[in-house]
Amino acid sequence: MMKDVTLGQYFSGNSVLHRADPRAKLMFAFFYIIVLFFAKSAASFGFALLFTIMMIAISGVPFKSVIRAVKPLVFIILFTALLNIFWTKGEKVLFEWKFIHIYLEGVIFALFMAVRIVLLVVGMTIALTYTTTPIALTDGIEALLNPLKKIKVPVHDFAMMMTIAMRFIPTLIEETDKIMDAQKARGADFENGGLIKKAKSLIPILIPLFVSSFKRADDLAVAMECRSYRGGEGRTKLKQLRYGKCDIVLFILAVVFVAGILLCNYFLPYISI
Amino acid sequence: MTILELSDVFFTYDKGTPDAHEALVGINLKIEQGLMTGIIGHTGCGKSTMLRMFNGLLKPDSGKILLDGKDIWENPKEISKVRFRVGLVMQYPEYQLFDETVRADIAYGPRNMGLDEAEIVRRVEAAASFAGVSADMLDRSPFELSGGQKRRVAIAGIMAMQPEVLVLDEPAAGLDPKGREDIFLGLDRYRRESGASVIIVSHSMEDMARYCDRLVVMNDAKIYMEGTQREVFGDAEKLMKIGLGVPEVTKLISLLREGGMPIAQEIYTVDDAKTALLELLGGDSK
């Protein structure tokens, strides 16, 4: 049951996106998000959609898995869409009943917003989580944030914390599964009952999970100290990050993306917000 | 009489994905009532999967699991009732403790069964005594106890449901010799006094020889050998073939026999060895 959670799930592969430097991918993802907010017209949203589908095709990640990444967000997307439909004021009234006014502008805005959120998530997962190992990702983050070390931000420590946290996600999931099985064997029921009963039934899972997590953190700290870990100072890397050809491809993709969006906004401004 | 029966059970993890992994292939097994049955096998041979079949934590892809002659999956909504009748103690069960006091934690199972308060108190105390949880421990927090004590509390938590079949996955793993013995003796006492059947997974041939009536050897998702101690340990060669062995004392006795000592019967436990050797040397067993 818990195994279905796709968090930081990496798909091994050998595409351009897989081979690119994590720093480049992080910058690309950041840029992609910003540019996505430039999109104003139906044409530019269409272009963003096509571009993202192309990215999925390049990455070689199966479409099914991409859809699975979006699934948990359906509720948030619907919620924002509904808010936008009811609260956006416009000129053309589509529907009116007592205090409810729905305008055409609201519907369009809601639709664009939904597409934007979906693309945001898909783009992030394709450029980052699906094609980058968590370790490479933290390496990239650490390298990008390196300048902050000058103003005494403990960048290395944050990166180490993130690496450890990500490393232990599968362990934690496995452990949750085990504890759930153990409590089920004692007659625990996680499926039936109202909200309060369901929440209460989580206590026998959460407490053992917390206890063992703290214990594991303690053990890990001792093990690290036994190996003389003393922070990032003077530490070398097993894998040095280097920019390569794939990063140029990524740069070109980014240029194409921003150019496409801006051109669509300018030359095809139909149905825009 | 057969209490639990697996009939032609198949199970595959992650079926239909590239990671698919066959865990059980055509398992046929009968567990006799009132006996202690030991399950032996290498890590990853399917033991733990089979244990999860016994109480319906996993559902077989095909095949049937019969408890007292009835298919446990006949009515999937009633599966939690099966879990009260077949108690499963997982590996390292001390990690499942959560309540404020040992007493409340042991009572979690019986409370889920919907028993009345007096019955719960009675069962908690009975289970605590079987598992070797002393009375003064009952009102302490389970997190204050030592590893061995926690293990006993967790076992008591399952015993308190008074299951007809008690299944334990390596109940003595990681404990010192005294702790192991306490646990096994407690299980033996529970079995004799309640008439329940006990199924144990263990890697220690010595423990198996000492406490189990019947043995099941698993290898590669299948049942490899099954029978009484004599039937299983008697065929040492077959056991060695899959990298398992017989108890150390059995090896010792067969070496002695090869060296010319007239010990007729096979010996599987240290106690039996002591008796046989003393008899041979002409002393009395005191």
Side-chain angles (χ1 to χ4, degrees):
Chain A
M1 166 187 209
M2 291 292 292
K3 282 195 184 109
D4 305 331
V5 180
T6 54
L7 218 146
Q9 199 185 50
Y10 172 70
F11 274 89
S12 47
N14 199 26
S15 70
V16 172
L17 283 170
H18 282 87
R19 278 175 292 155
D21 189 288
R23 288 170 297 179
K25 280 194 267 189
L26 278 162
M27 287 189 278
F28 176 79
F30 192 59
F31 186 73
Y32 173 87
I33 294 172
I34 294 173
V35 172
L36 211 49
F37 280 91
F38 289 166
K40 288 223 158 18
S41 68
S44 50
F45 273 103
F47 175 77
L49 192 67
L50 276 180
F51 183 84
T52 312
I53 290 173
M54 185 195 71
M55 263 181 24
I56 300 174
I58 290 176
S59 73
V61 173
F63 265 92
K64 253 193 214 160
S65 318
V66 177
I67 290 167
R68 214 169 44 190
V70 182
K71 250 189 198 160
L73 294 163
V74 166
F75 178 74
I76 297 176
I77 293 168
L78 282 180
F79 188 69
T80 32
L82 281 179
L83 277 186
N84 280 318
I85 286 180
F86 288 119
W87 265 268
T88 311
K89 297 254 182 295
E91 282 157 11
K92 193 159 186 266
V93 179
L94 282 183
F95 178 80
E96 217 167 2
W97 181 74
K98 290 188 182 167
F99 55 90
I100 298 174
H101 310 273
I102 294 178
Y103 301 94
L104 181 65
E105 286 81 355
V107 174
I108 291 170
F109 192 70
L111 204 68
F112 282 174
M113 208 59 184
V115 172
R116 189 176 277 160
I117 296 175
V118 170
L119 290 184
L120 213 76
V121 173
V122 171
M124 288 285 279
T125 45
I126 283 298
L128 296 174
T129 45
Y130 275 0
T131 56
T132 323
T133 58
I135 301 292
L137 203 56
T138 35
D139 265 359
I141 293 173
E142 187 182 351
L144 283 179
L145 295 181
N146 231 353
L148 290 181
K149 270 186 188 161
K150 294 226 167 73
I151 51 165
K152 306 247 160 142
V153 177
V155 174
H156 170 83
D157 306 77
F158 281 132
M160 186 53 114
M161 268 152 55
M162 269 183 69
T163 313
I164 291 173
M166 285 202 248
R167 154 68 186 78
F168 279 100
I169 289 172
T171 314
L172 221 58
I173 290 176
E174 202 175 292
E175 184 129 343
T176 313
D177 262 340
K178 243 191 238 164
I179 295 172
M180 273 174 89
D181 271 358
Q183 307 301 22
K184 269 193 215 159
R186 298 211 273 168
D189 181 2
F190 304 118
E191 273 109 46
N192 301 317
L195 196 63
I196 293 176
K197 200 174 161 235
K198 263 190 189 162
K200 260 191 175 166
S201 77
L202 287 182
I203 294 174
I205 301 175
L206 290 179
I207 291 180
L209 207 56
F210 269 111
V211 170
S212 65
S213 299
F214 278 120
K215 192 178 166 327
R216 187 174 301 118
D218 230 24
D219 289 350
L220 187 67
V222 171
M224 282 169 83
E225 235 166 287
C226 286
R227 294 201 267 169
S228 308
Y229 178 76
R230 55 186 162 76
E233 216 157 307
R235 226 176 133 80
T236 51
K237 289 239 181 280
L238 177 63
K239 280 187 187 155
Q240 297 283 350
L241 296 178
R242 250 185 226 108
Y243 289 112
K245 275 182 204 155
C246 298
D247 305 305
I248 298 173
V249 176
L250 224 50
F251 179 74
I252 294 169
L253 278 177
V255 173
V256 168
F257 187 52
V258 69
I261 294 277
L262 292 180
L263 287 177
C264 285
N265 274 347
Y266 189 74
F267 289 110
L268 302 162
Y270 315 109
I271 322 179
S272 58
I273 46 173
Chain B
M1 204 189 89
T2 307
I3 176 83
L4 197 61
E5 187 181 344
L6 265 62
S7 139
D8 212 22
V9 167
F10 283 80
F11 185 77
T12 307
Y13 282 107
D14 297 318
K15 207 173 188 177
T17 70
D19 304 326
H21 161 68
E22 281 185 328
L24 297 177
V25 178
I27 299 279
N28 281 297
L29 179 67
K30 284 180 179 169
I31 303 291
E32 296 298 314
Q33 177 156 33
L35 296 184
M36 196 170 295
T37 307
I39 300 177
I40 323 172
H42 288 293
T43 316
C45 71
K47 287 171 301 183
S48 298
T49 311
M50 189 160 85
L51 297 195
R52 283 174 166 77
M53 292 281 157
F54 288 154
N55 74 339
L57 279 177
L58 288 177
K59 193 177 178 179
D61 293 335
S62 69
K64 273 184 181 157
I65 293 138
L66 305 167
L67 176 61
D68 222 356
K70 264 197 199 139
D71 186 355
I72 63 167
W73 285 103
E74 202 175 81
N75 186 355
K77 280 193 182 145
E78 300 280 284
I79 197 70
S80 66
K81 289 206 175 118
V82 172
R83 293 185 188 142
F84 297 134
R85 294 177 62 194
V86 181
L88 172 62
V89 181
M90 304 269 215
Q91 220 167 357
Y92 298 107
E94 52 270 32
Y95 290 120
Q96 74 195 35
L97 303 178
F98 69 96
D99 224 318
E100 274 171 66
T101 63
V102 169
R103 191 187 295 279
D105 204 284
I106 299 179
Y108 179 68
R111 194 151 280 147
N112 282 331
M113 293 170 82
L115 300 171
D116 63 64
E117 212 51 38
E119 176 68 9
I120 290 176
V121 169
R122 205 186 58 72
R123 286 193 176 199
V124 167
E125 267 157 28
S129 133
F130 279 127
V133 176
S134 60
D136 65 299
M137 269 196 253
L138 282 178
D139 293 307
R140 285 164 62 187
S141 156
F143 300 108
E144 292 170 8
L145 305 177
S146 75
Q149 288 169 330
K150 278 187 201 167
R151 179 81 56 94
R152 293 206 287 272
V153 171
I155 293 175
I158 302 289
M159 278 179 176
M161 305 192 304
Q162 299 191 344
E164 294 153 61
V165 184
L166 182 60
V167 187
L168 302 102
D169 195 351
E170 297 201 49
L175 295 185
D176 56 30
K178 174 81 173 64
R180 299 181 80 87
E181 185 165 323
D182 285 349
I183 286 196
F184 280 112
L185 289 177
L187 290 173
D188 201 44
R189 195 159 71 87
Y190 174 80
R191 178 182 65 90
R192 275 184 284 113
E193 288 179 22
S194 68
S197 323
V198 178
I199 303 172
I200 298 178
V201 167
S202 172
H203 284 294
S204 157
M205 296 298 165
E206 277 68 28
D207 290 340
M208 287 294 184
R210 204 164 153 200
Y211 303 103
C212 293
D213 306 298
R214 288 187 70 81
L215 295 175
V216 177
V217 185
M218 285 190 76
N219 188 41
D220 224 4
K222 293 187 189 90
I223 305 271
Y224 184 70
M225 286 167 97
E226 197 206 336
T228 59
Q229 290 195 1
R230 199 162 297 277
E231 284 163 353
V232 173
F233 287 144
D235 199 346
E237 242 175 69
K238 198 173 174 188
L239 276 175
M240 309 272 210
K241 213 186 265 171
I242 58 166
L244 295 172
V246 293
E248 292 297 323
V249 66
T250 310
K251 284 186 207 159
L252 176 71
I253 295 291
S254 62
L255 278 177
L256 287 175
R257 193 183 298 123
E258 274 167 34
M261 279 195 137
I263 305 169
Q265 81 271 35
E266 284 295 339
I267 302 276
Y268 306 117
T269 66
V270 176
D271 284 341
D272 288 350
K274 183 176 149 199
T275 324
L277 286 176
L278 280 171
E279 212 170 85
L280 202 68
L281 298 171
D284 61 45
S285 49
K286 281 167 203 162

